[in-house]
Amino acid sequence: MSRLSDDNVKLSREIIARYPRPKSALVPLLHLAQEQDGYVTREAMVHIGELIGVTSAEVYGTASFYEMFRFEPVGKYLINICGTMSCALMGAHELMHRAEEKLGVKAGGTTSDGLITLAHAECQAACTEAPCLQVNYRYRYRVTPEQVEQLIDDLRAGRLAEEIPSHGTLARVRQSVSAERFVGAVSPDVEAAQPSWLAGKAAL
Amino acid sequence: MTTFPHAPGFVAGERPQIVTERFQYEDSYTLERYRATGGYEGLRKALQQPSSAVHEEVKSATILGRGGAGFPAGTKWGLTPQGVWPRYLVVNGDESEPGTYKDRLLMERDPHQLIEGCLIACYAAGLSQCFLYIRGEMALAQERVAAALNEAYAAGLVGRNVMGSSFSVDVVLHWGAGAYVVGEETALIESLEGNRGMPRLKPPYFPAAIGLYGKPTIVNNVETLSNLPWLMRNGSAAYTAIGTKTSPGTRMVAVSGHVKRPGVYEIVNGTTTFRDLLYGEEFCKGIRNGNALKAFVPGGGSAPWFTADQLDLPFEASQVGPAGSMLGSGAVMVMDETTDIPAAALTLTNFYAHESCGKCTPCREGGTWLQRILTRVVNGDGTTEDLAQLVEVGSMICPGNFPHASSERLGLAAVPFPYKMTTICFVGPSAYAPVHSALTLFPEEFAARVKHRRTIPVTAVGAPA
Ligand SMILES: Cc1cc2nc3c(=O)[nH]c(=O)nc-3n(C[C@H](O)[C@H](O)[C@H](O)COP(=O)(O)O)c2cc1C
Ligand code: SF4
């Protein structure tokens, strides 16, 4: 239930500066909010709207289009089991059954201790490694039902805490560019000349 | 034939390698390894020539777009309107077409190759800023590309005065948040503008004319751009010496499903056949357990299906199209004789129905209808009328003859690709493609499903008092 922290506001300003128009930073800032709180809060959406100069309704309008944004708390770990063709052909349904049984929740549900949310997912671009799943968007390949059980045990025992950050955190390495090296966002609103390197001479 | 634990799924072989050369190294994603293996030499060569010469080099190599549509990259770059600047480059790393697995490997294993490719494209086509859009669910790819960009910026390879030259360009890392349709190039642009990722109405057909913020924009796939460093290092003659005249070079193909060795293979374009790929010793080694092949999807979930009758077709668009399908995104999904065909088709229809952005009625409503009716049929609750209804709904998304493969067994002649469509993008037709293929090539499986109904319809009428 919070607005973005001071650190995240600073980061937001850096991100916004990379785009020709502030609204382009909307999805990246939503990720930042989700990283901060585990899901996207109303307050964060209002705050993001202020930062990029759009209404909070517009922020929600965009946010609600995308599958990854959650507007209610989810488990610390989100297990996404792929069920699209290649995974289905290789036994994805069996994985889902086993996970549901072991967790005692149906796909879409969260365990009562708030640790794990189980969800159906669509193709995860790992089709040759089917069946596959992701925990907070970290992959597990060629998974057997036994491995699903082991995975859940490991998550419960905190054995994967290092490898897998809490839900909301995607890349742990961010792009960061020093001011001297950055050319600067190229605005579409300023009539620009032909780039100098097109003038016909080699650039180097 | 080698596999590497650090590159899950990738299988190397005794074949020409253009984009996967470095996958053998565990540390292939570092600047150090990249430089030690010819990295950024292509860019240096490019910068030592006028940009128009680089553009010509790319044109003469005929690099067909690897994102699905197969449009030559050099030609696309030439479609921008004269004298309008700024122009942008948007890199399509949204890979989510069912069956497709290659762009993610390229981003995780060789991010510098992609960055170098972006720079070469910007230099050649006069693009002022580059946005590298990675699918939201790919945390590792995002980390690897971010780290590589940070290294490259610090080393003076990106940003102000690249390699000390007069060429300056930024590459901004951006990632999505889960939506298949955002892979469609105009939806990708909408998403990058901070909007709901819905495809734009056509025309204009190409964002090269009107794209990001209404400015000329080149959208290219990750694999397409990853070809550029090798091309600039070795020249277009070396590039076109691989593959065929109309499909030069190589392409990455993911083969998944019921084969003995599913994997991602960099194959020679145009000459490798589906039989080589599915049965060859250096590729998938045949169908699992020595089973018979029932059907395969040749080009990602959107593509009409093939059966054993089409095994001898090469990976060449000019031959696959007339045979009733498309090569799409380099994804082959294989079904053996044990496959329940209606159920397999349903997994794909579920996908496209779920991913519809809702802008066009035939896709939004039709996809859902197809999904519901097919679910009923698969569950054993369908009727003969349901099968007719599937075709009826399909014909509202794609009027006229829908493409399909020939079948010797059924005495069917092929209907060539493409189809007509009533929707803005291909998501609508893609929901129908698996249904149509399954119904056309395996009618007996559907007939059996509706004949042996699982349940007897019960009318819930209150008992008389
Ligand atoms: C529904 C839909 C999804 C698409 N998804 C992708 C994708 O994930 N990645 C991609 O590169 N191209 C995708 N494409 C194709 C792009 O629209 C575009 O043609 C491509 O990115 C252009 O790059 P290329 O010319 O280098 O292939 C998709 C197209 C459609 C209609
Ligand atoms: S075909 Fe479907 S996904 Fe594509 S624009 Fe129309 S409604 Fe959206």
Side-chain angles (χ1 to χ4, degrees):
Chain A
M1 240 132 332
S2 51
R3 291 164 62 87
L4 294 179
S5 68
D6 289 348
D7 281 351
N8 279 337
V9 169
K10 194 165 156 270
L11 204 51
S12 300
R13 296 227 157 89
E14 275 174 37
I15 293 171
I16 292 168
R18 287 184 200 144
Y19 295 95
R21 289 194 182 150
K23 197 179 178 194
S24 286
L26 184 43
V27 169
L29 298 201
L30 285 162
H31 277 303
L32 207 56
Q34 180 146 293
E35 176 166 345
Q36 176 180 295
D37 299 317
Y39 68 106
V40 181
T41 66
R42 279 171 170 256
E43 289 75 7
M45 284 191 277
V46 171
H47 197 177
I48 289 171
E50 291 165 15
L51 288 169
I52 62 176
V54 301
T55 65
S56 52
E58 278 179 272
V59 175
Y60 183 62
T62 295
S64 57
F65 184 79
Y66 299 92
E67 203 112 346
M68 288 171 75
F69 296 128
R70 301 284 186 141
F71 305 101
E72 280 163 28
V74 288
K76 180 176 178 192
Y77 298 112
L78 171 64
I79 303 183
N80 280 322
I81 300 183
C82 177
T84 313
M85 187 182 243
S86 305
C87 284
L89 289 173
M90 300 304 283
H93 297 310
E94 181 60 27
L95 295 189
M96 185 54 94
H97 286 314
R98 196 66 77 91
E100 286 180 335
E101 241 166 55
K102 173 98 181 165
L103 291 169
V105 298
K106 286 290 220 181
T110 302
T111 53
S112 54
D113 59 1
L115 188 71
I116 297 174
T117 299
L118 181 65
H120 275 295
E122 300 292 358
C123 187
Q124 297 176 336
C127 311
T128 65
E129 307 312 287
C132 65
L133 60 81
Q134 291 185 319
V135 184
N136 292 350
Y137 306 104
R138 269 74 185 168
Y139 284 93
R140 290 291 182 276
Y141 301 121
R142 303 197 187 198
V143 186
T144 64
E146 292 67 43
Q147 286 170 333
V148 169
E149 296 192 339
Q150 182 65 48
L151 172 72
I152 292 168
D153 286 337
D154 289 345
L155 289 172
R156 283 180 171 154
R159 281 191 284 269
L160 297 172
E162 227 163 78
E163 184 203 338
I164 304 175
S166 309
H167 178 257
T169 302
L170 284 171
R172 281 170 292 187
V173 184
R174 285 183 199 286
Q175 179 173 18
S176 61
V177 187
S178 71
E180 308 88 75
R181 297 284 320 129
F182 197 60
V183 185
V186 181
S187 167
D189 305 316
V190 183
E191 191 84 5
Q194 163 176 310
S196 61
W197 68 87
L198 283 188
K201 289 205 307 277
L204 195 70
Chain B
M1 273 165 292
T2 333
T3 56
F4 310 99
H6 57 257
F10 175 67
V11 186
E14 302 294 313
R15 298 181 296 278
Q17 284 182 297
I18 290 178
V19 290
T20 62
E21 266 184 315
R22 285 181 201 87
F23 285 17
Q24 57 181 305
Y25 304 110
E26 202 283 322
D27 62 352
S28 58
Y29 52 87
T30 62
L31 181 57
E32 197 183 344
R33 172 67 69 188
Y34 190 63
R35 283 204 137 147
T37 48
Y40 290 106
E41 285 311 311
L43 176 64
R44 184 180 300 282
K45 271 201 173 166
L47 296 180
Q48 286 164 347
Q49 306 169 38
S51 56
S52 53
V54 178
H55 192 168
E56 281 309 315
E57 190 79 32
V58 175
K59 267 195 205 155
S60 45
T62 324
I63 302 182
L64 302 180
R66 308 291 203 258
F71 197 81
T75 311
K76 186 191 276 191
W77 300 353
L79 295 176
T80 47
Q82 290 272 310
V84 184
W85 270 280
R87 298 172 180 170
Y88 300 104
L89 173 64
V90 177
V91 184
N92 196 340
D94 193 57
E95 184 170 65
S96 21
E97 171 80 354
T100 315
Y101 171 33
K102 62 186 183 71
D103 296 339
R104 182 166 69 85
L105 259 178
L106 287 169
M107 294 187 283
E108 289 178 359
R109 296 311 312 169
D110 207 343
H112 282 287
Q113 177 172 258
L114 172 60
I115 295 167
E116 187 179 353
C118 296
L119 296 170
I120 294 169
C122 288
Y123 181 67
L127 312 174
S128 321
Q129 194 174 0
C130 167
F131 299 93
L132 209 164
Y133 191 120
I134 302 183
R135 178 173 170 187
E137 290 95 333
M138 298 178 176
L140 181 61
Q142 293 155 10
E143 285 178 359
R144 290 274 165 81
V145 174
L149 276 172
N150 291 348
E151 281 181 307
Y153 262 101
L157 297 163
V158 194
R160 243 176 238 271
N161 303 105
V162 173
M163 292 179 161
S165 73
S166 60
F167 168 58
S168 297
V169 76
D170 281 319
V171 178
V172 175
L173 175 58
H174 183 98
W175 62 75
Y180 161 72
V181 66
V182 160
E184 197 276 345
E185 55 193 3
T186 59
L188 192 73
I189 287 170
E190 282 294 319
S191 179
L192 192 51
E193 290 185 3
N195 303 327
R196 295 170 76 82
M198 293 172 152
R200 290 178 177 170
L201 268 174
K202 322 279 184 310
Y205 292 99
F206 281 107
I210 300 179
L212 187 63
Y213 315 119
K215 292 292 169 189
T217 302
I218 300 299
V219 181
N220 269 138
N221 166 263
V222 165
E223 186 189 345
T224 311
L225 292 165
S226 295
N227 273 277
L228 297 175
W230 192 98
L231 168 67
M232 289 316 297
R233 251 187 1 259
N234 300 285
S236 57
Y239 192 88
T240 49
I242 303 169
T244 56
K245 195 160 180 293
T246 43
S247 306
T250 62
R251 74 178 293 172
M252 286 175 79
V253 178
V255 193
S256 59
H258 299 154
V259 284
K260 285 189 182 142
R261 190 177 54 194
V264 184
Y265 302 88
E266 182 168 0
I267 66 167
V268 173
N269 233 342
T271 54
T272 312
T273 66
F274 289 103
R275 188 184 300 282
D276 297 337
L277 201 56
L278 267 50
Y279 291 93
E281 272 309 301
E282 58 169 326
F283 296 107
C284 297
K285 301 179 166 198
I287 309 301
R288 67 170 183 188
N289 306 329
N291 288 355
L293 170 68
K294 197 168 192 176
F296 62 99
V297 190
S302 306
W305 300 3
F306 280 167
T307 64
D309 292 357
Q310 284 77 35
L311 276 175
D312 291 313
L313 286 173
F315 258 78
E316 166 67 60
S318 62
Q319 296 197 45
V320 169
S325 192
M326 60 164 187
L327 288 178
S329 52
V332 181
M333 293 183 279
V334 181
M335 294 167 258
D336 73 5
E337 57 185 309
T338 68
T339 309
D340 175 342
I341 290 287
L346 179 59
T347 67
L348 289 175
T349 299
N350 278 341
F351 176 88
Y352 293 105
H354 178 252
E355 298 296 337
S356 169
C357 80
K359 192 162 174 168
C360 327
T361 313
C363 169
R364 184 187 62 239
E365 304 299 323
T368 315
W369 275 61
L370 291 174
Q371 180 185 27
R372 289 200 187 146
I373 299 169
L374 189 56
T375 302
R376 196 154 70 215
V377 172
V378 167
N379 287 345
D381 298 330
T383 61
T384 319
E385 292 75 54
D386 281 336
L387 302 185
Q389 187 82 63
L390 286 171
V391 176
E392 164 104 23
V393 173
S395 71
M396 292 180 188
I397 305 172
C398 295
N401 270 347
F402 198 85
H404 64 74
S406 63
S407 167
E408 230 170 84
R409 183 175 74 92
L410 300 168
L412 277 179
V415 172
F417 209 75
Y419 38 66
K420 292 199 189 76
M421 57 201 250
T422 58
T423 55
I424 297 173
C425 85
F426 296 99
V427 172
S430 300
Y432 184 50
V435 179
H436 184 267
S437 289
L439 272 171
T440 309
L441 300 172
F442 302 94
E444 69 284 1
E445 295 207 19
F446 288 88
R449 265 317 211 284
V450 296
K451 187 165 168 209
H452 306 290
R453 291 188 53 180
R454 193 185 59 161
T455 50
I456 302 165
V458 179
T459 324
V461 182

